[in-house]
Amino acid sequence: MKVFIKVAIVALLGVNSLFAAHLEVLAAANLRYVLQDVKSAFLKDHPNDSMDITLDASGRLYAKVTQGLKADLFISADESFPEKLYKANLATKPVVYTQGILVLWSDGDMKVTSLEDMLKAKNIALPNPQTAPYGRAALEALQNSGLYNEVKSKIATALSISQANQFVISRNAQIGFNALSMVRSQKNASILVVDSKLYSPIKQAMSILNSSEHKTLAKEFYDFILSPKGQKIFSEYGYKELKH
């Protein structure tokens, strides 16, 4: 009887493993911290499944997908890159899952109370506007504030929002633009929330990639992000909670 029970348990475990899936998620660098919590909460209800998240600038991830990179889900920092994949028949129609908040911050080097504080800085970290949506928003804010010409020689362009963050932390830049979610927990940070009237809303969208081999699980994770539970996690990290 004991032998039969052991065999039955092994057989059951074998069946469960057949239904386990592994998701490959491509995500904007500004999601570094929030997605770890979203992932953990999701996998609690999917103990047999697993997930890897690749972080980079949205434009760089978009380019990799167009070059043949296979993954399950693309979670961007804007709407344009997922929309391009959709129009190229590489992904589903994108849906907005959150809206980001742009900040100007310093990691203890100086107190940031206004955009004019950039005039006192030697270097200003800014994510590449060509590939990083938060960099695009920052450039727009600089132009609309009338400060761009005065500070453009100080701009240190980073490959991604993560690198822009490191420029400030390492003191290679005294001040920098970033996402609120990336700097909210920095111990010595001085943070200014940039007036949202100075830049277009940072609506972040996602799509399921047509190359996905686990579309059912990808859709479940996609739905979890949009759910009240997922949205609550995003709001805790400094994003604007969607009202569906």
Side-chain angles (χ1 to χ4, degrees):
M1 180 61 73
K2 288 183 178 180
V3 173
F4 174 76
I5 292 173
K6 287 181 179 179
V7 171
I9 291 172
V10 170
L12 182 60
L13 290 174
V15 170
N16 285 339
S17 67
L18 289 175
F19 291 98
H22 177 78
L23 286 183
E24 290 289 347
V25 176
L26 307 179
N30 72 284
L31 302 171
R32 174 178 299 275
Y33 302 115
V34 63
L35 267 194
Q36 287 304 316
D37 277 3
V38 174
K39 169 185 171 180
S40 296
F42 176 75
L43 291 180
K44 281 182 180 179
D45 295 327
H46 296 78
N48 294 322
D49 301 313
S50 58
M51 183 188 309
D52 281 334
I53 300 173
T54 299
L55 297 159
D56 205 339
S58 298
R60 287 162 60 87
L61 293 172
Y62 159 78
K64 290 175 182 177
V65 173
T66 62
Q67 292 163 9
L69 177 65
K70 293 183 178 181
D72 298 291
L73 194 62
F74 176 40
I75 310 177
S76 181
D78 74 347
E79 294 178 282
S80 69
F81 292 119
E83 184 67 24
K84 288 178 181 178
L85 291 180
Y86 169 64
K87 289 181 177 178
N89 199 32
L90 293 172
T92 60
K93 187 173 180 60
V95 63
V96 172
Y97 63 91
T98 199
Q99 185 172 323
I101 297 174
L102 180 69
V103 299
L104 181 67
W105 81 294
S106 178
D107 192 31
D109 268 8
M110 58 191 295
K111 189 172 182 179
V112 186
T113 58
S114 72
L115 292 180
E116 283 72 20
D117 288 328
M118 289 185 291
L119 300 173
K120 298 180 287 186
K122 292 182 180 179
N123 295 300
I124 303 163
L126 188 141
N128 187 341
Q130 299 298 316
T131 57
Y134 280 81
R136 191 186 313 144
L139 181 60
E140 190 178 353
L142 284 174
Q143 293 168 336
N144 289 335
S145 67
L147 291 169
Y148 177 69
N149 288 333
E150 295 185 70
V151 303
K152 63 181 180 181
S153 62
K154 302 180 179 185
I155 292 175
T157 303
L159 291 175
S160 68
I161 202 167
S162 293
Q163 190 178 62
N165 198 32
Q166 286 303 312
F167 281 0
V168 176
I169 292 172
S170 65
R171 304 298 195 272
N172 285 313
Q174 289 72 46
I175 198 169
F177 286 97
N178 220 287
L180 177 59
S181 63
M182 290 286 287
V183 303
R184 55 186 281 281
S185 60
Q186 292 291 340
K187 195 171 183 181
N188 300 313
S190 178
I191 302 170
L192 171 73
V193 175
V194 178
D195 186 348
S196 60
K197 295 178 182 176
L198 292 174
Y199 61 93
S200 302
I202 307 173
K203 293 182 179 180
Q204 303 192 195
M206 61 180 173
S207 293
I208 297 172
L209 297 175
N210 290 348
S211 63
S212 173
E213 295 181 355
H214 304 288
K215 287 186 173 65
T216 298
L217 186 63
K219 182 62 164 59
E220 289 179 18
F221 185 51
Y222 171 107
D223 288 340
F224 180 79
I225 289 171
L226 296 173
S227 72
K229 188 174 182 179
Q231 288 297 298
K232 184 174 184 294
I233 297 172
F234 272 91
S235 66
E236 289 169 352
Y237 273 84
Y239 291 91
K240 293 184 179 180
E241 189 172 349
L242 293 182
K243 302 297 181 183
H244 290 292

